[in-house]
Amino acid sequence: MGTSGSKARGLWPFASAAGGGGPEAAAAEQALARPRGRMVPPFVFTRRGSMFYDEDGDLAHEFYEETIVTKNGQKRAKLRRVHKNLIPQGTVKLDTPRIHVDFPVILYEV
């Protein structure tokens, strides 16, 4: 009474082996070790690009245009950041695969 169906079958992922309960605790421990659903590799092969293309096809993180400002009769050049007509770079293939950020592994150096 008071147990859910997943706990009764021994598939509760948060049960600990130290909590007692012979076969039910052993089944819960095995449930943690085996993957759920389809196998997903722990590596990432692509990333989203952080740069943009402008109208000329140049690739950069930011684009600026030079504007001439007249103040008190003096001409002065200022840089103004361009926000329009920029196309995102898209998906970039990584040279070497990276480990996915959600992959449960502890990396250490001895």
Side-chain angles (χ1 to χ4, degrees):
M1 188 175 197
T3 59
S4 68
S6 62
K7 284 184 186 176
R9 283 179 273 155
L11 299 176
W12 185 246
F14 304 111
S16 65
E24 188 172 309
E29 189 175 351
Q30 289 176 359
L32 285 174
R34 114 186 93 157
R36 306 221 177 214
R38 62 186 176 111
M39 285 294 295
V40 178
F43 300 108
V44 177
F45 299 99
T46 58
R47 68 172 176 84
R48 200 171 113 203
S50 60
M51 295 196 275
F52 297 91
Y53 290 103
D54 69 346
E55 298 132 348
D56 301 329
D58 296 328
L59 182 66
H61 287 285
E62 299 173 337
F63 288 96
Y64 294 92
E65 68 179 0
E66 188 176 6
T67 56
I68 305 296
V69 178
T70 305
K71 191 174 190 182
N72 295 334
Q74 294 179 343
K75 290 185 178 179
R76 188 171 166 212
K78 283 188 118 179
L79 293 177
R80 193 181 78 187
R81 187 167 177 193
V82 176
H83 295 283
K84 296 181 180 179
N85 299 328
L86 298 178
I87 302 165
Q89 184 182 13
T91 304
V92 177
K93 187 179 178 200
L94 296 170
D95 296 332
T96 57
R98 311 289 204 272
I99 294 179
H100 195 275
V101 70
D102 292 332
F103 187 67
V105 66
I106 299 171
L107 299 175
Y108 67 95
E109 184 177 336
V110 178

